[in-house]
Amino acid sequence: MKILLTSLNTKYIHSNIAIRYLKDTVYPKYKCDTIDFTINQNSDEIIFQIIRGKYDIVGFSTYIWNVEMTLEICEKLKLINPNLIIFMGGPEVSFNSKEIIKEHPYVDYIMSGEGEESFLKLLDYVHGERNDLPAGVVTMLDEEVVGNDIYQVVDLQNSEIEYTLDYIKDKKIVYYETSRGCPYNCEFCLSSSTGRVRFYPLERCLKDIKLFLDENVPLVKFIDRTFNFNKERSLTILKYIIDNDNNFTTFHLEIHPQLIDEDYLKLFKNARKDLFQFEVGVQSTNEETCKAIKRVGDFETIKNVCKEIMSFQNIHLHLDLIAGLPYEDLKSLRKSFNDILSIGPDKLQLGFLKVLKGSPIFNKAEQYEIVYDKKSPFEVISTKWISYMELQEVKKIEQMLDKYYNEGYFKNTINYLFENYYSDYYEFFIEIGNYWEENGYLFVNQSRDSLYKILKDFLIEKKFEEIDLLNEILTHDYILTNGKVPWFLNPKKIESGREHDLLRDEVVLEKISEHDVPAKKLIKNYIFIKYDYQIISDFKKEDLVLIYRIKDRKHYDITESWR
């Protein structure tokens, strides 16, 4: 049998670990090919590659973002080759497998839950080596659904799976897990349905991490639902990463701040900058909402821990907020938004409730009067507490948040606006969102330069008294982000002759750590800008001259030498 395991990932830089787990599980008895497609590829291109491979069996790893496209591909594959055996697995088919296989007869088998054990048995069944379907597998027989849809859970301690170069080759992001399951029971999440937390052998995890470090993987994204659930184990892994740091790889971890104590903080404080990224799912600061969804955590404690981590200035902090949860109306959501943003995270991901089959909230949708899209991604449309039009306002906020906060292009400008004009952060994003809508920008792709131009026009329309200062801060942000001069913001460059003189000045050369390099060579690597305000300190109206090194966006105050 020639077998293909595949999935439609969100981006080409991602890789699917599930199909590689299955491949390793059945080897050497069965040899499988793996292909990572993406949802951005043309479906006919994907179908052509599969048909060209002359496979007997094709298995799809299925998720909320790819289920619709996967089913369309499966249907066409079956039309082209009726003898092709197609099976599906993954979270998006694990909780309603009987329903899916009945409605989509071109799918031959569906596996529920973790497939490392059932997949081998399924291949034996297809190959005629066993007479009964394995647990967790359903199929159609004489127009009836047979088999069972019991969610399968495997013992990770006995797993022999180890990462190889094949897992990480040519991938900018490697998804990795040291555990499965979650100790909490958040009602919107499928992890609450998969039982207790189980761990892979620690030795295996350390060996895998060493491979990632040795191979200079850019980003390792742990998919453990709560990485720091087991303190001794997580501290061992964190310390191993720090001790073996290659000064390149970044590790992304989902953590629960309530479990962070002084032992963790000591480690975090001394970690290399950008070695870690932390994601914290706050979701809401409404106590009634958190109680309803069984979200564990006191916001003040979460806030204090997150602020402590932020104070180290070496760890990227990513916080999550979900719109459309029970008991959260627009007023409450606005407060949650402001509460979370007050922490000052590097990124605030504002998402919308997905009513997932298998999650407890799916069974309470009628009780909460949750109206949601019946097709993937099953996103909330309205609830008892928040209307469709109110959620559309929140979607506008989401767009502006991503453009003007999360990307980090406007960090200094936004911080100044927040500190001096907008104590209600939500108010800023709704105002600029309305400005976008009124001027026809909202549904049109905008270049990065356009984002700066639009923000400047917005500030002018708002008639801020400090428009000249704000324009200079915006100029500073642009150069730090783009490494070039934003002429459309009308910056003040100093005379070219003065630039050469300054690059011969010993004080300037000492500041920029450049010696024994002729000024005519250095000039290509630096930008000189004169400001009328002290934009990097107290914002007073006073001359300031900055020199920017283009390659690393570092800047230096050379005002005294300029004078």
PDB file of all heavy atoms in Angstrom, residues 402-417:
ATOM      1  N   ASP A 402      -4.511  45.370  15.554  1.00  0.00           N
ATOM      2  CA  ASP A 402      -3.461  44.664  14.824  1.00  0.00           C
ATOM      3  C   ASP A 402      -2.566  45.633  14.062  1.00  0.00           C
ATOM      4  O   ASP A 402      -1.347  45.467  14.018  1.00  0.00           O
ATOM      5  CB  ASP A 402      -4.076  43.641  13.863  1.00  0.00           C
ATOM      6  CG  ASP A 402      -4.592  42.406  14.586  1.00  0.00           C
ATOM      7  OD1 ASP A 402      -4.193  42.190  15.748  1.00  0.00           O
ATOM      8  OD2 ASP A 402      -5.396  41.669  14.003  1.00  0.00           O
ATOM      9  N   LYS A 403      -3.161  46.652  13.445  1.00  0.00           N
ATOM     10  CA  LYS A 403      -2.394  47.562  12.600  1.00  0.00           C
ATOM     11  C   LYS A 403      -1.547  48.537  13.419  1.00  0.00           C
ATOM     12  O   LYS A 403      -0.401  48.828  13.058  1.00  0.00           O
ATOM     13  CB  LYS A 403      -3.339  48.343  11.681  1.00  0.00           C
ATOM     14  CG  LYS A 403      -4.060  47.483  10.648  1.00  0.00           C
ATOM     15  CD  LYS A 403      -5.005  48.310   9.797  1.00  0.00           C
ATOM     16  CE  LYS A 403      -5.869  47.429   8.905  1.00  0.00           C
ATOM     17  NZ  LYS A 403      -5.090  46.618   7.970  1.00  0.00           N
ATOM     18  N   TYR A 404      -2.113  49.054  14.508  1.00  0.00           N
ATOM     19  CA  TYR A 404      -1.442  50.148  15.214  1.00  0.00           C
ATOM     20  C   TYR A 404      -0.831  49.768  16.562  1.00  0.00           C
ATOM     21  O   TYR A 404      -0.160  50.593  17.182  1.00  0.00           O
ATOM     22  CB  TYR A 404      -2.413  51.318  15.393  1.00  0.00           C
ATOM     23  CG  TYR A 404      -2.687  52.037  14.091  1.00  0.00           C
ATOM     24  CD1 TYR A 404      -3.909  51.901  13.445  1.00  0.00           C
ATOM     25  CD2 TYR A 404      -1.705  52.823  13.497  1.00  0.00           C
ATOM     26  CE1 TYR A 404      -4.155  52.548  12.230  1.00  0.00           C
ATOM     27  CE2 TYR A 404      -1.934  53.477  12.297  1.00  0.00           C
ATOM     28  CZ  TYR A 404      -3.159  53.336  11.669  1.00  0.00           C
ATOM     29  OH  TYR A 404      -3.391  53.971  10.471  1.00  0.00           O
ATOM     30  N   TYR A 405      -1.045  48.530  16.992  1.00  0.00           N
ATOM     31  CA  TYR A 405      -0.460  48.132  18.281  1.00  0.00           C
ATOM     32  C   TYR A 405       0.355  46.847  18.146  1.00  0.00           C
ATOM     33  O   TYR A 405       1.546  46.826  18.463  1.00  0.00           O
ATOM     34  CB  TYR A 405      -1.558  47.943  19.327  1.00  0.00           C
ATOM     35  CG  TYR A 405      -1.015  47.679  20.722  1.00  0.00           C
ATOM     36  CD1 TYR A 405      -0.745  48.729  21.590  1.00  0.00           C
ATOM     37  CD2 TYR A 405      -0.759  46.375  21.165  1.00  0.00           C
ATOM     38  CE1 TYR A 405      -0.235  48.499  22.862  1.00  0.00           C
ATOM     39  CE2 TYR A 405      -0.243  46.132  22.426  1.00  0.00           C
ATOM     40  CZ  TYR A 405       0.021  47.195  23.271  1.00  0.00           C
ATOM     41  OH  TYR A 405       0.539  46.954  24.515  1.00  0.00           O
ATOM     42  N   ASN A 406      -0.263  45.801  17.668  1.00  0.00           N
ATOM     43  CA  ASN A 406       0.377  44.489  17.718  1.00  0.00           C
ATOM     44  C   ASN A 406       1.626  44.377  16.850  1.00  0.00           C
ATOM     45  O   ASN A 406       2.560  43.641  17.190  1.00  0.00           O
ATOM     46  CB  ASN A 406      -0.627  43.402  17.325  1.00  0.00           C
ATOM     47  CG  ASN A 406      -1.648  43.152  18.410  1.00  0.00           C
ATOM     48  OD1 ASN A 406      -1.411  43.456  19.581  1.00  0.00           O
ATOM     49  ND2 ASN A 406      -2.797  42.608  18.049  1.00  0.00           N
ATOM     50  N   GLU A 407       1.656  45.072  15.722  1.00  0.00           N
ATOM     51  CA  GLU A 407       2.828  44.971  14.855  1.00  0.00           C
ATOM     52  C   GLU A 407       4.039  45.698  15.440  1.00  0.00           C
ATOM     53  O   GLU A 407       5.170  45.444  15.037  1.00  0.00           O
ATOM     54  CB  GLU A 407       2.504  45.537  13.473  1.00  0.00           C
ATOM     55  CG  GLU A 407       1.490  44.722  12.682  1.00  0.00           C
ATOM     56  CD  GLU A 407       2.016  43.364  12.271  1.00  0.00           C
ATOM     57  OE1 GLU A 407       3.242  43.138  12.373  1.00  0.00           O
ATOM     58  OE2 GLU A 407       1.210  42.520  11.854  1.00  0.00           O
ATOM     59  N   GLY A 408       3.787  46.637  16.356  1.00  0.00           N
ATOM     60  CA  GLY A 408       4.891  47.348  16.999  1.00  0.00           C
ATOM     61  C   GLY A 408       5.485  48.474  16.170  1.00  0.00           C
ATOM     62  O   GLY A 408       6.525  49.032  16.527  1.00  0.00           O
ATOM     63  N   TYR A 409       4.819  48.835  15.051  1.00  0.00           N
ATOM     64  CA  TYR A 409       5.351  49.879  14.179  1.00  0.00           C
ATOM     65  C   TYR A 409       5.214  51.275  14.787  1.00  0.00           C
ATOM     66  O   TYR A 409       5.911  52.204  14.377  1.00  0.00           O
ATOM     67  CB  TYR A 409       4.618  49.887  12.828  1.00  0.00           C
ATOM     68  CG  TYR A 409       4.691  48.609  12.036  1.00  0.00           C
ATOM     69  CD1 TYR A 409       3.682  48.266  11.143  1.00  0.00           C
ATOM     70  CD2 TYR A 409       5.781  47.748  12.158  1.00  0.00           C
ATOM     71  CE1 TYR A 409       3.743  47.104  10.395  1.00  0.00           C
ATOM     72  CE2 TYR A 409       5.846  46.567  11.426  1.00  0.00           C
ATOM     73  CZ  TYR A 409       4.816  46.256  10.538  1.00  0.00           C
ATOM     74  OH  TYR A 409       4.875  45.098   9.802  1.00  0.00           O
ATOM     75  N   PHE A 410       4.298  51.430  15.748  1.00  0.00           N
ATOM     76  CA  PHE A 410       3.966  52.761  16.263  1.00  0.00           C
ATOM     77  C   PHE A 410       4.137  52.828  17.785  1.00  0.00           C
ATOM     78  O   PHE A 410       3.437  53.570  18.458  1.00  0.00           O
ATOM     79  CB  PHE A 410       2.515  53.112  15.902  1.00  0.00           C
ATOM     80  CG  PHE A 410       2.215  53.036  14.434  1.00  0.00           C
ATOM     81  CD1 PHE A 410       1.832  51.847  13.844  1.00  0.00           C
ATOM     82  CD2 PHE A 410       2.342  54.164  13.643  1.00  0.00           C
ATOM     83  CE1 PHE A 410       1.565  51.775  12.487  1.00  0.00           C
ATOM     84  CE2 PHE A 410       2.071  54.105  12.285  1.00  0.00           C
ATOM     85  CZ  PHE A 410       1.689  52.905  11.699  1.00  0.00           C
ATOM     86  N   LYS A 411       5.068  52.063  18.298  1.00  0.00           N
ATOM     87  CA  LYS A 411       5.167  51.870  19.738  1.00  0.00           C
ATOM     88  C   LYS A 411       5.284  53.190  20.501  1.00  0.00           C
ATOM     89  O   LYS A 411       4.561  53.424  21.476  1.00  0.00           O
ATOM     90  CB  LYS A 411       6.360  50.972  20.054  1.00  0.00           C
ATOM     91  CG  LYS A 411       6.436  50.568  21.515  1.00  0.00           C
ATOM     92  CD  LYS A 411       7.526  49.521  21.727  1.00  0.00           C
ATOM     93  CE  LYS A 411       7.548  49.064  23.176  1.00  0.00           C
ATOM     94  NZ  LYS A 411       8.593  48.032  23.410  1.00  0.00           N
ATOM     95  N   ASN A 412       6.195  54.068  20.100  1.00  0.00           N
ATOM     96  CA  ASN A 412       6.403  55.315  20.839  1.00  0.00           C
ATOM     97  C   ASN A 412       5.226  56.270  20.682  1.00  0.00           C
ATOM     98  O   ASN A 412       4.814  56.938  21.642  1.00  0.00           O
ATOM     99  CB  ASN A 412       7.699  55.986  20.366  1.00  0.00           C
ATOM    100  CG  ASN A 412       8.926  55.165  20.703  1.00  0.00           C
ATOM    101  OD1 ASN A 412       9.298  55.022  21.854  1.00  0.00           O
ATOM    102  ND2 ASN A 412       9.551  54.598  19.682  1.00  0.00           N
ATOM    103  N   THR A 413       4.660  56.327  19.481  1.00  0.00           N
ATOM    104  CA  THR A 413       3.508  57.205  19.241  1.00  0.00           C
ATOM    105  C   THR A 413       2.306  56.762  20.057  1.00  0.00           C
ATOM    106  O   THR A 413       1.644  57.573  20.717  1.00  0.00           O
ATOM    107  CB  THR A 413       3.147  57.211  17.747  1.00  0.00           C
ATOM    108  OG1 THR A 413       4.307  57.485  16.972  1.00  0.00           O
ATOM    109  CG2 THR A 413       2.088  58.260  17.455  1.00  0.00           C
ATOM    110  N   ILE A 414       2.014  55.462  20.028  1.00  0.00           N
ATOM    111  CA  ILE A 414       0.863  54.933  20.765  1.00  0.00           C
ATOM    112  C   ILE A 414       1.062  55.121  22.266  1.00  0.00           C
ATOM    113  O   ILE A 414       0.126  55.517  22.983  1.00  0.00           O
ATOM    114  CB  ILE A 414       0.630  53.448  20.427  1.00  0.00           C
ATOM    115  CG1 ILE A 414       0.246  53.294  18.954  1.00  0.00           C
ATOM    116  CG2 ILE A 414      -0.452  52.849  21.319  1.00  0.00           C
ATOM    117  CD1 ILE A 414      -1.016  54.014  18.547  1.00  0.00           C
ATOM    118  N   ASN A 415       2.257  54.864  22.760  1.00  0.00           N
ATOM    119  CA  ASN A 415       2.519  55.050  24.190  1.00  0.00           C
ATOM    120  C   ASN A 415       2.290  56.508  24.609  1.00  0.00           C
ATOM    121  O   ASN A 415       1.713  56.777  25.667  1.00  0.00           O
ATOM    122  CB  ASN A 415       3.947  54.634  24.535  1.00  0.00           C
ATOM    123  CG  ASN A 415       4.116  53.126  24.564  1.00  0.00           C
ATOM    124  OD1 ASN A 415       3.141  52.390  24.615  1.00  0.00           O
ATOM    125  ND2 ASN A 415       5.348  52.658  24.528  1.00  0.00           N
ATOM    126  N   TYR A 416       2.727  57.449  23.765  1.00  0.00           N
ATOM    127  CA  TYR A 416       2.536  58.858  24.098  1.00  0.00           C
ATOM    128  C   TYR A 416       1.051  59.221  24.096  1.00  0.00           C
ATOM    129  O   TYR A 416       0.568  59.932  24.991  1.00  0.00           O
ATOM    130  CB  TYR A 416       3.291  59.752  23.112  1.00  0.00           C
ATOM    131  CG  TYR A 416       3.311  61.202  23.550  1.00  0.00           C
ATOM    132  CD1 TYR A 416       4.280  61.657  24.440  1.00  0.00           C
ATOM    133  CD2 TYR A 416       2.337  62.101  23.112  1.00  0.00           C
ATOM    134  CE1 TYR A 416       4.296  62.979  24.876  1.00  0.00           C
ATOM    135  CE2 TYR A 416       2.336  63.419  23.546  1.00  0.00           C
ATOM    136  CZ  TYR A 416       3.319  63.854  24.428  1.00  0.00           C
ATOM    137  OH  TYR A 416       3.312  65.150  24.874  1.00  0.00           O
ATOM    138  N   LEU A 417       0.314  58.717  23.111  1.00  0.00           N
ATOM    139  CA  LEU A 417      -1.125  58.990  23.047  1.00  0.00           C
ATOM    140  C   LEU A 417      -1.844  58.408  24.257  1.00  0.00           C
ATOM    141  O   LEU A 417      -2.721  59.057  24.840  1.00  0.00           O
ATOM    142  CB  LEU A 417      -1.714  58.402  21.754  1.00  0.00           C
ATOM    143  CG  LEU A 417      -1.335  59.119  20.460  1.00  0.00           C
ATOM    144  CD1 LEU A 417      -1.813  58.319  19.251  1.00  0.00           C
ATOM    145  CD2 LEU A 417      -1.918  60.524  20.422  1.00  0.00           C
TER     146      LEU A 417
END
